[in-house]
Amino acid sequence: PQSAVKDFLKRRENYMAVYEPVTEKDGPFCKIINSKQFIVSNIRGYLPLKVVHFVMNLHMLPRTFYLTRHGQSEYNLLGKIGGDSGLTQAGREYARRLAVFAKEEIAKGRRPDDEEEEEGSPAAGSSGADDSAGKTSKPAQRPCRLWTSTLRRTQETAQFIQHDTINHTFDNGDTLEWVQFRLMPRRNLDELYAGTCDGMTYKEIEQVFPEEFARRQADKLSYRYPRGESYMDVTLRLEPLAQEMERTREPVLIIGHQGILRILYAYFMGLDRKEAPYVSIPLNNVIELTPHAYGCHEKRYCLMMKEEMLQDGQDEPVTSMPLAVRGEVGLHNTPGDTKHFEGVDAGESGDGHTPSADQEAAGVRAINSEYSPLDPVMNAPSC
């Protein structure tokens, strides 16, 4: 590391020796100094102004986004798209597990090194003052944001998340009282509107509107539902949200819809927009995105197994799920690719709005799981 630092400083000295500052004679320019000072000169036109607005929202601080679909809704269960239905029993159970995940994983502010520590060791950044009782002190909470759509199923998924109040000192030196995961419904996070097809299954659309069904199959990106929206339309209304995500310094938990999260995921992962409509965003999973200088790191957590959602008592063969290891709670993918977090077991959730102590003590395993795009349960129909 020391040799790398020396090499970097040497290269910087060489740059300084040949650097020529930009002046007004060189034409329009935007000079950015440490992402804190901006010098804008002679910028004109729609696109140049949008570029300036975008770069002024950028910063060099690390940030993390957590994307998740709402819990299973009544329309998911029926195979219908759109609508404003509430959650099923499985959906409410996922909401409880998500609340524990938000409290134990998102708000704790763990660094990558902490994931390698053995269970029970002092967490990075903690004082360790409470170790005398045999328990290590928990890391201090970091301020977190919570965004949902205005639709019922996303707000019901957020209903169990606790809103603790903490005092936090921000990077500009201000110390403020912060309400954790303060709910912020955002209309531009609403699901792609299916227009006259809203509330129908894809089979019904194929039977009633065969031409529209064929057009959508041919060009899913540009296809617009009758009196509805297309993925291109949704991309435009998500542009201000993407800029706010670039500006935000705190971790953000976004409870949204499949079509919306596909576009946000494609944006941060650098995918072509034609790929966005086909990104897999399964139910019961949290996608952690950490942008960095040369891309975006992705990690997926499965909070609830598909078998726990099937309550009809039938032994349906499961071919698109990660394998469950006998004798363990949760899922298993590959050795070394697992991570523990506090969760809840199915059937022990209760009816309260806050997870109980027994639920928080239950172990659930999170993995980078993948599901078949044709999986009818985890990849439930969406617009």
Side-chain angles (χ1 to χ4, degrees):
Q2 295 298 328
S3 59
V5 172
K6 290 181 180 179
D7 178 70
F8 172 78
L9 295 176
K10 184 63 177 178
R11 284 188 286 118
R12 191 176 69 170
E13 291 177 0
N14 294 335
Y15 293 147
M16 293 174 63
V18 297
Y19 175 75
E20 295 184 7
V22 179
T23 65
E24 294 183 358
K25 296 180 181 180
D26 298 313
F29 68 86
C30 175
K31 185 182 295 186
I32 306 171
I33 304 172
N34 295 331
S35 293
K36 294 181 179 181
Q37 184 179 358
F38 300 87
I39 301 175
V40 181
S41 176
N42 199 28
I43 299 294
R44 298 179 181 180
Y46 174 75
L47 188 57
L49 286 172
K50 287 187 73 70
V51 172
V52 170
H53 179 68
F54 175 75
V55 298
M56 291 182 72
N57 282 287
L58 302 179
H59 59 83
M60 296 182 292
L61 297 176
R63 63 195 189 281
T64 307
F65 308 113
Y66 297 86
L67 312 180
T68 182
R69 289 176 67 181
H70 52 80
Q72 185 189 53
S73 68
E74 298 288 352
Y75 267 26
N76 288 148
L77 198 59
L78 299 173
K80 296 182 177 182
I81 63 175
D84 194 18
S85 60
L87 299 181
T88 64
Q89 182 178 348
R92 288 189 292 273
E93 173 62 22
Y94 175 70
R96 294 183 177 94
R97 299 189 184 194
L98 180 63
V100 176
F101 179 85
K103 176 182 177 181
E104 299 296 328
E105 288 295 317
I106 302 178
K108 279 188 176 180
R110 297 188 180 186
R111 296 191 295 266
D113 292 343
D114 298 331
E115 297 179 3
E116 304 299 328
E117 295 182 0
E118 294 181 358
E119 187 177 357
S121 63
S126 62
S127 62
D130 297 332
D131 293 345
S132 59
K135 297 181 179 180
T136 58
S137 60
K138 296 181 179 180
Q141 291 193 50
R142 56 180 177 176
C144 302
R145 298 178 182 269
L146 172 61
W147 297 351
T148 71
S149 73
T150 62
L151 299 178
R152 177 182 169 191
R153 52 192 182 273
T154 62
Q155 297 189 36
E156 286 187 0
T157 304
Q159 65 182 308
F160 302 113
I161 296 178
Q162 298 182 23
H163 306 287
D164 300 330
T165 301
I166 63 173
N167 290 318
H168 182 76
T169 301
F170 294 87
D171 60 291
N172 62 357
D174 293 341
T175 299
L176 301 173
E177 189 176 81
W178 179 277
V179 178
Q180 286 286 60
F181 298 106
R182 186 196 298 270
L183 182 63
M184 182 179 290
R186 309 182 71 104
R187 191 168 296 278
N188 49 358
L189 280 174
D190 287 356
E191 179 62 296
L192 187 156
Y193 181 49
T196 57
C197 298
D198 192 68
M200 301 175 67
T201 66
Y202 284 121
K203 190 66 176 179
E204 292 171 341
I205 296 174
E206 185 177 12
Q207 293 173 350
V208 179
F209 304 110
E211 293 182 0
E212 295 294 334
F213 184 84
R215 287 178 54 208
R216 182 180 182 275
Q217 293 293 97
D219 187 3
K220 192 174 180 181
L221 175 67
S222 301
Y223 171 76
R224 180 181 290 115
Y225 283 98
R227 299 183 181 179
E229 291 181 299
S230 68
Y231 271 93
M232 292 296 292
D233 296 329
V234 174
T235 301
L236 292 177
R237 68 169 156 98
L238 284 177
E239 180 183 335
L241 187 82
Q243 291 200 14
E244 185 161 357
M245 292 175 71
E246 295 283 8
R247 177 189 64 82
T248 301
R249 286 160 165 75
E250 300 78 29
V252 183
L253 171 59
I254 300 178
I255 303 176
H257 308 269
Q258 183 168 238
I260 303 300
L261 299 183
R262 279 171 168 167
I263 297 173
L264 294 177
Y265 177 91
Y267 169 75
F268 283 102
M269 295 300 292
L271 303 181
D272 188 280
R273 65 183 182 181
K274 293 182 179 179
E275 300 177 62
Y278 305 98
V279 172
S280 175
I281 310 287
L283 291 173
N284 303 342
N285 281 249
V286 178
I287 302 176
E288 176 185 305
L289 298 181
T290 307
H292 53 81
Y294 303 104
C296 186
H297 177 71
E298 174 190 4
K299 191 167 189 177
R300 298 200 177 202
Y301 301 85
C302 181
L303 306 191
M304 188 175 179
M305 295 188 296
K306 187 174 86 169
E307 290 89 341
E308 298 176 75
M309 299 173 64
L310 304 176
Q311 302 177 7
D312 57 3
Q314 298 178 0
D315 293 329
E316 181 183 11
V318 180
T319 59
S320 56
M321 278 291 298
L323 298 177
V325 178
R326 292 186 181 274
E328 290 188 1
V329 178
L331 302 179
H332 174 75
N333 194 9
T334 56
D337 196 28
T338 59
K339 181 174 182 293
H340 289 284
F341 66 91
E342 298 297 310
V344 292
D345 285 330
E348 298 180 359
S349 57
D351 296 323
H353 289 279
T354 304
S356 66
D358 291 339
Q359 293 168 343
E360 293 190 2
V364 179
R365 186 166 297 230
I367 66 169
N368 294 323
S369 55
E370 295 183 1
Y371 302 91
S372 166
L374 302 179
D375 191 301
V377 178
M378 303 306 282
N379 285 310
S382 182
C383 300

